[in-house]
Amino acid sequence: MENKNDKAWLSESVYTDTQRCIKSTFLSLHEPELKINTGFSASHTFQIVEKTARTLYPNGIDVMEEEYINFNHFVYYTKHLLDKGNKTIYQACFQSEFKRCKVDILIQHNEKKWTIINVVSRTKVEDTDILRLGFISKTIQELYPKISLEAKVIYLNSNYVRENELDLQKLFNSEDISRRINLVQPIVDRFIRSAIKMYNATKPPNIGIGTYCQKPFPCPFQHICWKDIPEYSVFDLSHVWLTRQFQFYQQGIVKLEDIPRTAKLSENQWMQIDCELQKIIVTNLPAIDKFMEELEYPISHMDFETFQPAIPLFPGTSPYDQIPFQFSVHTEYSNGDVIHHEFLHNGKSDPRLLFLQKLLTVVGAEGTILCYNHRFETARLKELAMYYPEYGADIMRIIDRIKDLMYPFEKRFLYHPEQKGSVSLKVVLPAWAPDLNYKGLSIGNGVAASAEYEKLGQSFTSAKEKAKIRKDLLEYCKMDTYAMVRLLKVLKSLIQKEELVKIKS
């Protein structure tokens, strides 16, 4: 089949789209410029894992490190290396008819036997890995029908705990999936036929929206298919499974006002609906008052930032362990004074011990420690206690003092329609303190904070960039604890004003 244009090749990523939705396949092939960034990206993590895994198969040549113009050149270079008898090739590239693929690691044992290896940054093999390697295997065997192919997946061992040195043999697990590929080949062929159909189509298929728009990750074309869904709809109902939301949708129920009163929803979900439709605020003053009575001054508003390296960097850690590197604490006194404390590690070594020592000094031995979603900070503290048992008693005393500011919002002691069912700090804050939000910050969430922190320890990051990163990280974490100070002030003012608004029956 002659390729119509360079952007319409059936690649592994397009093939993966086909497994979920053929409309996504059509758009990937014919209108890729319509893709939007969904915020789902593991490319940086994958690159680190892949390059680390290569050390299990040393002395290979990386095809894509050559400064070639396009994929065709990578294909030609791969063939050149194979013809020369190179044993180990990284990112080997192939194309057959309209199909293209890339092999993370290719081992050429001899003229008749190869091993293709797919590296994943996850901690287990999934069905998509089997289907992906099935596509790669089919593409290669169309070009080299006499070659016997063995297929493996290399993935991270979640049970591995690093000692002083990194043990790559224990860090990675390897699974031979050759037999499983043979079993799923009919499925692979069916997906490829579907993709070919989309390859030759002149307009997208009429496919409705479904759970596949969100799972296993948000579709980059969702904005096209969901353009007629209202900004606030049944898909915004809190604590409602996506499948249940689609049951409403399939019944023609899209807007909140369309939901029949006979629908089986919780009291909090009806509160969300009624507050939006009637534009009312709900407060439960006795419950708020009880929560406030349990707080003791000085109140330490505390927040942590962590990063999760796929490859364990420090002794006692496993793949994707949460490593705390930053905290912010706003200490609020009974007279209304507030003092801010902060810590940010330099990114060059293990931050945990210094983080812990600074934190113990800042929070002192008295008063309530207030977190927003305390489960996160409590879990990190328990992990630190396990690794630094000499600080175990001090850490447990901190944990005993922790209260959760998210609790009154989670339990709907107060609810504002602007929350739209959410109890996220970034949503709750502007709902109750309209003059504050995270929009002006260079770093707006924990994922971005983690990524920026990792740059601090990298040699290619300039001194100027590092200074900006530090400034941005400090501003972001400080905002989290200042937000807590403001929300606690909201709770106090509600009690003082003795305001109570009830939902109409």
Side-chain angles (χ1 to χ4, degrees):
M1 179 185 297
E2 183 180 354
N3 189 25
K4 293 181 290 185
N5 56 68
D6 192 57
K7 69 180 180 182
W9 284 92
L10 175 56
S11 64
E12 297 140 271
S13 61
V14 176
Y15 166 72
T16 302
D17 289 340
T18 307
Q19 297 169 34
R20 177 167 66 174
C21 172
I22 58 172
K23 185 174 182 179
S24 177
T25 303
F26 175 91
L27 295 170
S28 293
L29 286 167
H30 300 289
E31 300 183 70
E33 67 280 359
L34 296 179
K35 280 188 178 182
I36 62 169
N37 182 3
T38 62
F40 177 86
S41 175
S43 58
H44 176 66
T45 297
F46 169 72
Q47 288 170 9
I48 294 172
V49 173
E50 182 189 21
K51 288 187 176 180
T52 306
R54 288 179 188 179
T55 57
L56 297 170
Y57 302 90
N59 305 316
I61 297 177
D62 188 342
V63 168
M64 300 189 82
E65 278 191 350
E66 295 294 324
E67 295 182 0
Y68 287 133
I69 299 171
N70 56 37
F71 196 88
N72 289 328
H73 289 85
F74 295 135
V75 171
Y76 298 147
Y77 186 42
T78 298
K79 186 176 185 305
H80 169 72
L81 293 175
L82 289 169
D83 291 343
K84 283 181 62 179
N86 287 82
K87 299 299 182 184
T88 304
I89 302 173
Y90 309 135
Q91 301 193 91
C93 297
F94 301 90
Q95 62 186 32
S96 169
E97 294 186 299
F98 57 93
K99 296 191 293 296
R100 283 178 169 175
C101 68
K102 176 175 66 68
V103 182
D104 295 333
I105 303 172
L106 186 149
I107 309 298
Q108 184 176 208
H109 302 284
N110 52 52
E111 292 182 355
K112 294 186 178 180
K113 184 180 179 182
W114 297 356
T115 297
I116 54 175
I117 301 170
N118 192 36
V119 180
V120 298
S121 54
R122 286 179 266 100
T123 56
K124 63 179 180 178
V125 177
E126 296 186 350
D127 290 344
T128 52
D129 301 322
I130 313 302
L131 295 170
R132 188 181 187 93
L133 269 174
F135 173 81
I136 292 172
S137 176
K138 184 174 182 65
T139 303
I140 293 175
Q141 291 200 305
E142 286 178 355
L143 298 166
Y144 300 90
K146 295 181 180 180
I147 295 293
S148 172
L149 281 183
E150 177 186 51
K152 292 183 178 180
V153 176
I154 289 179
Y155 59 99
L156 292 164
N157 175 11
S158 60
N159 295 318
Y160 170 70
V161 179
R162 177 171 178 160
E163 297 180 0
N164 289 329
E165 299 297 325
L166 195 64
D167 188 333
L168 295 177
Q169 297 296 332
K170 294 180 180 178
L171 171 63
F172 289 105
N173 287 329
S174 176
E175 184 174 331
D176 188 328
I177 60 167
S178 307
R179 182 173 176 274
R180 294 175 69 182
I181 284 178
N182 291 334
L183 292 174
V184 302
Q185 202 58 55
I187 301 174
V188 172
D189 292 341
R190 185 171 72 248
F191 281 138
I192 291 176
R193 287 195 297 271
S194 296
I196 292 172
K197 186 177 180 181
M198 291 302 99
Y199 181 94
N200 291 312
T202 57
K203 60 181 181 179
N206 185 21
I207 302 292
I209 65 175
T211 56
Y212 41 80
C213 298
Q214 291 285 340
K215 296 182 177 181
F217 50 84
C219 175
F221 299 106
Q222 183 175 328
H223 61 292
I224 296 173
C225 303
W226 288 57
K227 64 181 184 299
D228 295 328
I229 301 297
E231 184 179 352
Y232 197 14
S233 69
V234 293
F235 295 105
D236 297 298
L237 283 175
S238 65
H239 296 94
V240 176
W241 292 105
L242 187 61
T243 50
R244 175 72 172 121
Q245 292 171 349
F246 270 102
Q247 286 176 359
F248 280 128
Y249 175 77
Q250 288 158 5
Q251 294 168 12
I253 301 169
V254 181
K255 298 177 181 179
L256 296 186
E257 57 262 38
D258 297 335
I259 300 175
R261 298 307 294 193
T262 54
K264 292 182 179 180
L265 296 173
S266 71
E267 182 179 344
N268 283 346
Q269 287 156 357
W270 280 119
M271 178 187 290
Q272 176 187 347
I273 294 167
D274 290 339
C275 284
E276 170 61 22
L277 298 183
Q278 300 174 38
K279 299 301 180 186
I280 56 174
I281 296 171
V282 170
T283 59
N284 182 338
L285 294 186
I288 295 173
D289 193 31
K290 183 179 179 182
F291 174 80
M292 296 292 291
E293 286 178 353
E294 295 175 355
L295 307 183
E296 296 179 5
Y297 286 94
I299 298 173
S300 297
H301 302 264
M302 183 177 76
D303 180 71
F304 297 170
E305 297 301 329
T306 65
F307 73 117
Q308 295 177 267
I311 308 299
L313 300 177
F314 314 118
T317 62
S318 299
Y320 295 111
D321 273 359
Q322 300 260 17
I323 310 297
F325 64 84
Q326 178 182 12
F327 69 73
S328 173
V329 175
H330 273 88
T331 305
E332 182 178 359
Y333 296 89
S334 57
N335 64 0
D337 289 346
V338 179
I339 299 176
H340 181 240
H341 310 270
E342 60 190 2
F343 168 81
L344 173 59
H345 195 258
N346 59 22
K348 296 179 180 178
S349 58
D350 188 341
R352 292 175 295 169
L353 181 57
L354 188 56
F355 172 97
L356 177 57
Q357 291 171 337
K358 294 286 187 182
L359 182 68
L360 289 171
T361 300
V362 165
V363 299
E366 297 180 349
T368 296
I369 297 173
L370 205 56
C371 300
Y372 200 91
N373 189 6
H374 79 289
R375 301 174 189 88
F376 178 77
E377 278 77 13
T378 299
R380 305 292 79 78
L381 287 168
K382 288 180 178 178
E383 290 159 1
L384 289 170
M386 290 180 63
Y387 193 69
Y388 300 108
E390 65 272 28
Y391 290 96
D394 293 331
I395 292 173
M396 294 312 297
R397 281 191 285 271
I398 288 179
I399 291 174
D400 289 342
R401 293 162 55 198
I402 290 178
K403 299 290 183 182
D404 196 345
L405 184 58
M406 189 172 78
Y407 182 78
F409 296 94
E410 192 174 41
K411 295 299 182 182
R412 296 292 198 270
F413 297 165
L414 66 167
Y415 180 80
H416 195 292
E418 289 299 318
Q419 292 177 225
K420 291 182 167 42
S422 174
V423 293
S424 164
L425 183 59
K426 294 170 180 59
V427 177
V428 169
L429 177 64
W432 290 95
D435 59 309
L436 286 179
N437 59 62
Y438 287 72
K439 292 180 180 178
L441 299 179
S442 298
I443 294 174
N445 57 64
V447 174
S450 299
E452 291 300 299
Y453 173 73
E454 292 191 59
K455 294 178 184 178
L456 287 180
Q458 296 170 346
S459 58
F460 57 77
T461 307
S462 69
K464 183 178 180 181
E465 288 177 298
K466 288 181 180 180
K468 184 179 186 307
I469 289 171
R470 289 189 64 85
K471 176 178 176 291
D472 293 342
L473 284 169
L474 290 170
E475 285 182 353
Y476 170 67
C477 199
K478 180 179 180 180
M479 183 64 172
D480 276 344
T481 52
Y482 180 65
M484 293 162 62
V485 173
R486 286 293 303 274
L487 289 177
L488 189 63
K489 187 176 180 180
V490 168
L491 297 184
K492 292 176 188 175
S493 67
L494 289 173
I495 296 296
Q496 292 167 356
K497 293 178 181 178
E498 297 185 353
E499 293 180 350
L500 177 62
V501 182
K502 292 183 179 179
I503 295 179
K504 298 174 183 178
S505 59

